[in-house]
Amino acid sequence: MTEPLRVLLADDQTLVRTGFRMILGADGIDVVAEATNGAEAVEATRRTRPDVVLMDIRMPEMDGLEATRRILTASQAGGPHVIILTTFDLDRYVYAALSAGASGFLLKDVTPEYLVAAVRTIRNGDALLAPAITRRLVQRFAQRGGDAASLHRDLASLTPRELEVLGLLARGLSNAELATRLHLAETTVKTHVARILAKLGLRDRVQAVIVAYETGLVSAGAGEAAEQTWTEASPGVNGRSPRL
């Protein structure tokens, strides 16, 4: 029997926490703790070991960005996944949070069905951000500076085929689209993606897209991919799943 999904809510607005707790609880998802600031979120995560943390960015004392960094730095393999909550689409802090290891973001006006599907998606190890949206974030906020050279060295571990897969992934192609473009089986594409993540020490595809832009493997002006971003249909979210 699958253990109940455990979630921690971190937001300084009581109404947001109350609403999310009711939505998640109604679907059998256990809210194990709540936090009103980043410091409380870090401590509560250490204490309760949730599967998923829903993290607001703008909170007093310690913001969600720093809290995300601390939680993910302290966590071992199989630790909590962080979903960033924000009021603003393409908030510049979202990019920083994704770079720190967050697995995706949600706007606070998310529908109940999408919230539940998103939390379950993250628990299963998938990233909650369409590649095309990630690309827009990176193009808008990625800064290339002194760290780029060290990131370039990370890519030396990739084979030519893996570099090709990473470049296309960063342009927003799904696994199915990658398979079609490269004339490969989709299972082979998944294997390539898994190896890329392992070699670069990345948590998910969101971070892989960010690395592709920050290292210069893909430029902000690169050709646009089809905006088909949601795959593997899931009921209750407009017929589509929020996974990459």
Side-chain angles (χ1 to χ4, degrees):
M1 181 177 178
T2 304
E3 294 186 5
L5 201 164
R6 296 161 50 82
V7 173
L8 185 150
L9 298 175
D11 195 295
D12 61 340
Q13 298 180 48
T14 302
L15 286 177
V16 172
R17 298 197 313 273
T18 300
F20 279 20
R21 182 177 67 248
M22 292 176 62
I23 291 168
L24 296 172
D27 204 75
I29 297 173
D30 188 9
V31 176
V32 296
E34 296 183 23
T36 62
N37 60 58
E40 290 181 5
V42 173
E43 170 58 24
T45 298
R46 183 195 64 77
R47 187 179 69 255
T48 62
R49 300 178 182 273
D51 300 303
V52 176
V53 178
L54 288 170
M55 180 79 75
D56 187 22
I57 290 182
R58 302 175 184 182
M59 294 185 292
E61 296 188 38
M62 179 190 296
D63 65 21
L65 179 57
E66 179 60 25
T68 295
R69 288 196 187 103
R70 295 191 185 191
I71 288 171
L72 296 180
T73 298
S75 68
Q76 303 298 319
H81 297 277
V82 177
I83 301 176
I84 297 299
L85 298 173
T86 180
T87 307
F88 307 101
D89 188 12
L90 296 185
D91 188 314
R92 64 187 178 89
Y93 296 109
V94 171
Y95 169 76
L98 294 175
S99 297
S103 296
F105 77 89
L106 289 173
L107 299 182
K108 288 188 179 181
D109 62 358
V110 61
T111 64
E113 296 83 5
Y114 194 99
L115 175 64
V116 169
V119 169
R120 294 194 182 282
T121 292
I122 290 297
R123 195 268 187 94
N124 293 332
D126 295 303
L128 181 70
L129 194 58
I133 296 175
T134 313
R135 185 179 63 247
R136 287 161 56 202
L137 278 165
V138 175
Q139 289 177 357
R140 184 170 176 182
F141 300 120
Q143 299 295 322
R144 294 183 190 164
D147 292 337
S150 62
L151 288 172
H152 272 298
R153 288 197 294 272
D154 290 341
L155 299 188
S157 64
L158 302 184
T159 66
R161 175 62 91 181
E162 288 165 351
L163 284 170
E164 185 177 18
V165 170
L166 178 57
L168 292 173
L169 184 157
R171 292 184 174 94
L173 274 69
S174 66
N175 283 343
E177 291 166 334
L178 281 166
T180 299
R181 176 74 67 88
L182 299 175
H183 305 290
L184 298 172
E186 192 168 344
T187 54
T188 302
V189 169
K190 291 180 179 179
T191 298
H192 282 310
V193 172
R195 287 175 178 168
I196 290 168
L197 298 182
K199 287 182 177 181
L200 299 183
L202 305 175
R203 294 176 66 94
D204 53 44
R205 293 171 63 127
V206 172
Q207 286 195 308
V209 174
I210 291 172
V211 166
Y213 280 96
E214 289 189 332
T215 59
L217 177 66
V218 176
S219 67
E224 296 297 312
E227 292 296 315
Q228 198 302 95
T229 56
W230 310 118
T231 59
E232 300 184 46
S234 173
V237 193
N238 297 324
R240 292 180 174 186
S241 165
R243 74 179 58 181
L244 283 175

